[in-house]
Amino acid sequence: MDAGIIKNLKFHYRQLLVKKRLLCYKMETPFAVNVLHALQWLKIAWESVDAQVIRNCYCHAGFRSVGEEAEEPRLPDFFPLWSNAEGAGLTQGIDWAEFVDVDECVAVGPSSEGHSIDDILDTVLPETRQPVDKSSSSDDDDDEIIDTTPPPSFKEAMASIGSALDYLRTIQGSEAECLKLAKIGDYMADQYFKTQKQQRIEQYLEPLNET
């Protein structure tokens, strides 16, 4: 994994992070990232890792066919997005390569110097880290973070799908993406109608009130 796959994954993940930061800046909305966002971006980033990167990993480890050599993987052009971030003053004077490798030298586990996870946490969070009473702790006592933000209504969600479709149709060559989004809207409608109670036939036969 350390033969290029992790770095490629970081490239795609941090591209999504910068894109989110820039969108929040353009739309004048607060920038916030939660665990769900991170997990979703990680999944998207992993699916974006080029197959050639994985082949190179095996080649470097000696698993290759006769005459097979590692090839340089193709990365998407990140310059326009990073230039936008630089223009908005969001990059703090660092370049893209530095941003991708910002945690290259960070210890992430026990090392040959004997640093444990607790040692690292004590160094990084010396003032806020509280001692844990292991005798009274259990998996059932873990603090649970509950998101109290109410979900959008079905009407609001479908309106958002419609707005997104209207915008996508203005982009040349976005027919495939429009179809995918339309299918999502269709799926949402199916799920909505499954939750609705079926009305009794008598409700349709009730006489109208005379005026």
Side-chain angles (χ1 to χ4, degrees):
M1 288 291 289
D2 202 23
I5 298 178
I6 294 176
K7 185 171 184 177
N8 196 264
L9 180 69
K10 287 181 180 179
F11 176 94
H12 293 290
Y13 180 87
R14 293 199 167 119
Q15 184 181 32
L16 294 167
L17 182 63
V18 172
K19 192 179 298 182
K20 169 72 173 180
R21 180 69 181 90
L22 189 56
L23 282 173
C24 289
Y25 173 80
K26 296 288 186 181
M27 299 171 66
E28 299 181 352
T29 56
F31 174 68
V33 178
N34 56 34
V35 176
L36 178 60
H37 293 149
L39 291 175
Q40 289 172 337
W41 293 345
L42 188 60
K43 184 177 186 299
I44 295 172
W46 174 249
E47 292 174 350
S48 301
V49 172
D50 196 294
Q52 186 59 51
V53 175
I54 300 175
R55 284 194 290 269
N56 286 351
C57 179
Y58 282 95
C59 284
H60 290 311
F63 298 95
R64 68 180 74 183
S65 302
V66 177
E68 183 181 6
E69 297 294 337
E71 300 178 11
E72 187 67 23
R74 294 165 297 177
L75 291 174
D77 183 12
F78 191 72
F79 181 75
L81 188 61
W82 190 253
S83 295
N84 270 277
E86 285 181 326
L90 305 176
T91 60
Q92 299 180 350
I94 66 173
D95 60 26
W96 168 240
E98 291 175 313
F99 179 67
V100 172
D101 296 330
V102 67
D103 59 355
E104 192 70 22
C105 299
V106 175
V108 293
S111 66
S112 58
E113 299 177 2
H115 297 302
S116 66
I117 298 296
D118 286 335
D119 292 334
I120 295 172
L121 289 175
D122 287 335
T123 302
V124 177
L125 306 171
E127 298 179 358
T128 59
R129 180 163 159 76
Q130 299 294 327
V132 178
D133 183 4
K134 295 183 179 180
S135 61
S136 62
S137 63
S138 66
D139 294 339
D140 296 333
D141 296 333
D142 290 341
D143 292 335
E144 182 179 359
I145 300 175
I146 301 176
D147 187 359
T148 58
T149 305
S153 66
F154 173 73
K155 183 177 179 180
E156 292 170 335
M158 292 303 292
S160 298
I161 290 285
S163 297
L165 276 172
D166 290 340
Y167 178 77
L168 272 177
R169 292 188 184 106
T170 66
I171 303 175
Q172 188 175 3
S174 63
E175 291 80 7
E177 285 70 25
C178 285
L179 180 60
K180 292 176 184 177
L181 192 55
K183 287 181 177 179
I184 293 175
D186 185 58
Y187 171 79
M188 290 166 53
D190 286 343
Q191 298 306 308
Y192 172 77
F193 289 123
K194 285 180 181 178
T195 63
Q196 301 305 297
K197 293 182 179 178
Q198 185 176 1
Q199 293 182 327
R200 294 177 290 110
I201 189 65
E202 291 86 352
Q203 292 179 283
Y204 296 99
L205 301 177
E206 294 176 356
L208 297 175
N209 294 328
E210 294 184 2
T211 57

